[in-house]
Amino acid sequence: MIECLTPWNIIWNFFNAHQCSDIYNSTSLADPVTFLEYLPYFLKTFILELPVYLFFLRHHKKLNEILQINSILNFATHPIVFFLIPLILLQFNATYLHYLVIAEVFAPLVEALLLIYAYKVGYGRAFLAGIAANLFSWSLGIYWV
């Protein structure tokens, strides 16, 4: 049930018993994938986050700079979210819900900090951009198979 993986259902699950509890309580976190199997996930995230970063950075950066920034932000966070966080969480018998929460807090936080310190974007704009880009790619990305 793909709807269980949206941020909105996860928030809803905190307040109500939900049919998604089997997915959230699963401890199956890390299925090995090859680079070619991983690449579409990375590209999908890159494509979905690009318009959000274009929106937030359009008055401060040129298009080629925004493309570079989006690339670096995704290279800095996506492999960690996809490969490293699940491997670490397996050591603690964490659930899939734990993974989703940690991954979706980690990515926008790191991306915002990179925007602030590497690209001199203001704090508010950087955090809004990071949160918006990741919520957008998470919300739409699960439907784009």
Side-chain angles (χ1 to χ4, degrees):
M1 191 170 350
I2 200 130
E3 295 80 26
C4 292
L5 302 178
T6 65
W8 324 116
N9 263 329
I10 290 171
I11 292 167
W12 181 251
N13 189 56
F14 281 119
F15 300 106
N16 297 303
H18 202 270
Q19 73 266 17
C20 298
S21 61
D22 288 345
I23 293 170
Y24 298 150
N25 294 325
S26 169
T27 55
S28 175
L29 296 175
D31 293 328
V33 296
T34 66
F35 176 75
L36 290 177
E37 292 169 329
Y38 165 71
L39 191 57
Y41 293 102
F42 179 86
L43 292 174
K44 175 174 57 173
T45 302
F46 176 88
I47 291 166
L48 288 171
E49 290 185 0
L50 182 59
V52 179
Y53 284 121
L54 282 168
F55 174 78
F56 279 96
L57 303 176
R58 71 188 184 278
H59 296 298
H60 307 284
K61 305 289 181 189
K62 296 177 183 169
L63 177 60
N64 62 336
E65 290 176 300
I66 297 170
L67 288 167
Q68 178 188 15
I69 290 168
N70 189 49
S71 298
I72 290 170
L73 295 178
N74 277 282
F75 280 124
T77 58
H78 201 271
I80 294 170
V81 165
F82 201 88
F83 295 111
L84 188 59
I85 291 174
L87 288 176
I88 292 169
L89 291 178
L90 279 173
Q91 306 305 309
F92 298 98
N93 285 335
T95 65
Y96 193 67
L97 182 59
H98 293 128
Y99 162 72
L100 287 173
V101 170
I102 290 168
E104 296 301 337
V105 168
F106 168 82
L109 178 64
V110 169
E111 290 177 17
L113 291 173
L114 283 169
L115 285 170
I116 292 165
Y117 293 109
Y119 298 104
K120 308 301 182 220
V121 174
Y123 287 97
R125 182 174 301 279
F127 280 102
L128 280 173
I131 291 167
N134 282 275
L135 276 175
F136 186 71
S137 66
W138 180 13
S139 298
L140 293 182
I142 62 170
Y143 294 105
W144 180 10
V145 180

